[in-house]
């Protein structure tokens, strides 16, 4: 079953309604955008990445893309190198292993919950959303293209 929705801009989208047991080979996943908020007091942000977690497939991944021009338009004095380092640290934490630092021995679910916990730093997670996917890694890339690039 599907529903058609017309957005205010005139775009038609389809949303598929799936009932319990009808997901096929797709599994539930969660994701959050990574936002760069160079001046927290102003609340302006640039989307710079996405974190995806799929418990059923044991997947935790992040992909990032920083548009420096957008960031510098919001704050010409932004610490671009520091933001890039923070985004890279998130990707390493998702990958796990020794490169995850102190989070190396922590399971993927706990690392995900830590990464998406609200914080008032320059790099912040957005709200958590859910969906269904057969390929969480491909979903990570799709969401990066759709929401960040």
């Amino acid at each position: 079953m599907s529903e058609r929705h017309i957005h205010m801009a005139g775009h038609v989208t389809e949303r598929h309604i799936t009932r319990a047991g009808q997901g096929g080979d797709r599994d539930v996943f969660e994701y959050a955008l990574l936002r760069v908020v160079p001046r927290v007091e102003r609340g302006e942000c640039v989307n710079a990445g996405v974190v995806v977690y799929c418990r059923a497939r044991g997947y935790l991944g992040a992909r990032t893309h920083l548009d420096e021009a957008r960031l510098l338009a919001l704050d010409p004095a932004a610490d671009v190198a520091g933001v890039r380092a923070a985004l890279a640290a998130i990707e390493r934490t998702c990958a796990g292993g020794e490169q995850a630092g102190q989070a190396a021995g922590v399971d993927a679910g706990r690392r995900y919950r830590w990464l998406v916990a609200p914080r008032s730093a320059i790099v912040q997670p957005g709200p958590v959303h859910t969906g269904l996917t057969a390929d969480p890694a491909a979903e990570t890339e799709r969401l990066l293209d759709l929401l960040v690039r």
Side-chain angles (χ1 to χ4, degrees):
M1 169 185 340
S2 69
E3 294 180 13
R4 293 179 73 81
H5 297 276
I6 300 176
H7 295 282
M8 289 184 2
H11 299 285
V12 177
T13 62
E14 253 184 57
R15 182 178 69 176
H16 297 281
I17 311 294
T18 304
R19 290 186 170 75
Q22 293 181 330
D25 64 344
R26 298 181 302 164
D27 293 303
V28 173
F29 73 96
E30 301 173 55
Y31 73 94
L33 279 171
L34 297 172
R35 303 181 291 198
V36 178
V37 186
R39 294 178 60 192
V40 177
E41 69 278 6
R42 291 182 60 124
E44 299 167 327
C45 66
V46 174
N47 291 346
V50 63
V51 179
V52 174
Y53 173 59
C54 181
R55 180 178 176 206
R57 303 211 181 204
Y59 176 84
L60 175 60
R63 293 280 289 123
T64 62
H65 171 81
L66 180 61
D67 185 332
E68 285 186 31
R70 277 187 178 174
L71 175 60
L72 293 172
L74 293 180
D75 183 2
D79 180 5
V80 175
V83 169
R84 285 196 183 282
L87 293 170
I90 291 170
E91 288 193 49
R92 287 192 308 272
T93 300
C94 286
E98 288 183 25
Q99 64 184 349
Q102 292 179 329
V106 178
D107 67 81
R110 289 187 66 174
R111 282 183 281 139
Y112 175 72
R113 297 285 172 237
W114 179 78
L115 289 169
V116 299
R119 57 184 50 94
S120 58
I122 290 176
V123 176
Q124 301 178 5
V128 173
H129 303 280
T130 61
L132 294 172
T133 187
D135 185 348
E139 194 67 37
T140 305
E141 195 65 36
R142 185 187 77 78
L143 289 169
L144 183 74
D145 287 340
L146 180 68
L147 303 172
V148 177
R149 290 187 179 147

